[in-house]
Amino acid sequence: MEGFTIGLALVDAIPVLSFGISMVIIASRFPSPLFMVGAILSVLGGCCKVAWKLVLGIAKKDLRWLNKPFVPMMASGFLLLLVSLVVGFGKINWADVGRSIIGFPSLLFFIAWMGLMCFMGWYRKNKFQNDDAHSNWTAQIVNAVGQTCLLLGILFA
């Protein structure tokens, strides 16, 4: 596939790394096995996508089996993250969470993250083409900035 480069794969690793670090930080404050499994599934899904792009960039081989787990792993991972928050709702100190989220500059980063993730959802549904390098570059840059905003919001919280 034309335009899938090593650079594309490396840029795709940025949001996976940022999200993974974010999940480790949250998991250290919210020790839930469901949360951990959800985070691991989500990160592994991202790693599969990065590996697929690396193989495309290096060997010019389209190993679709590396790309196929991305959506199911991400979806099931996010579902488990959400379920863990519902199940562990009473164990979370929501007053501390609220103070952390609305503090400056965390609030700006969280707002940016939510806006960028909403844009990603719209882009994936309306414009994204999995086999198009330009489409992947756009999605990766938006996701990299978004996941970095999430990480910065957590770090400043």
Side-chain angles (χ1 to χ4, degrees):
M1 289 191 319
E2 188 92 12
F4 281 77
T5 63
I6 296 169
L8 183 70
L10 295 177
V11 171
D12 198 24
I14 295 168
V16 175
L17 184 61
S18 293
F19 181 79
I21 293 168
S22 296
M23 295 301 100
V24 167
I25 293 168
I26 293 171
S28 72
R29 298 176 187 165
F30 178 59
S32 161
L34 277 177
F35 187 90
M36 289 297 294
V37 171
I40 290 167
L41 276 174
S42 297
V43 171
L44 284 176
C47 288
C48 285
K49 186 88 164 185
V50 170
W52 174 67
K53 289 178 182 174
L54 268 174
V55 171
L56 278 171
I58 295 168
K60 307 297 183 213
K61 291 186 180 182
D62 186 4
L63 302 179
R64 294 232 181 241
W65 60 268
L66 274 174
N67 187 29
K68 285 191 184 251
F70 175 71
V71 172
M73 289 178 91
M74 293 295 277
S76 58
F78 288 148
L79 178 63
L80 287 174
L81 291 171
L82 186 61
V83 168
S84 75
L85 293 175
V86 171
V87 170
F89 190 83
K91 298 176 186 173
I92 299 169
N93 184 337
W94 290 104
D96 285 348
V97 171
R99 278 191 295 280
S100 296
I101 289 174
I102 63 170
F104 183 80
S106 291
L107 180 61
L108 298 177
F109 288 116
F110 289 131
I111 290 170
W113 170 68
M114 285 188 289
L116 289 162
M117 292 305 96
C118 287
F119 176 77
M120 276 294 296
W122 174 86
Y123 186 76
R124 180 136 177 100
K125 183 178 181 192
N126 296 296
K127 300 283 184 182
F128 184 76
Q129 297 172 14
N130 195 51
D131 295 341
D132 177 59
H134 181 267
S135 184
N136 275 267
W137 272 108
T138 302
Q140 285 173 197
I141 290 168
V142 171
N143 197 23
V145 173
Q147 296 307 327
T148 301
C149 284
L150 173 64
L151 177 58
L152 289 171
I154 291 169
L155 290 173
F156 282 112

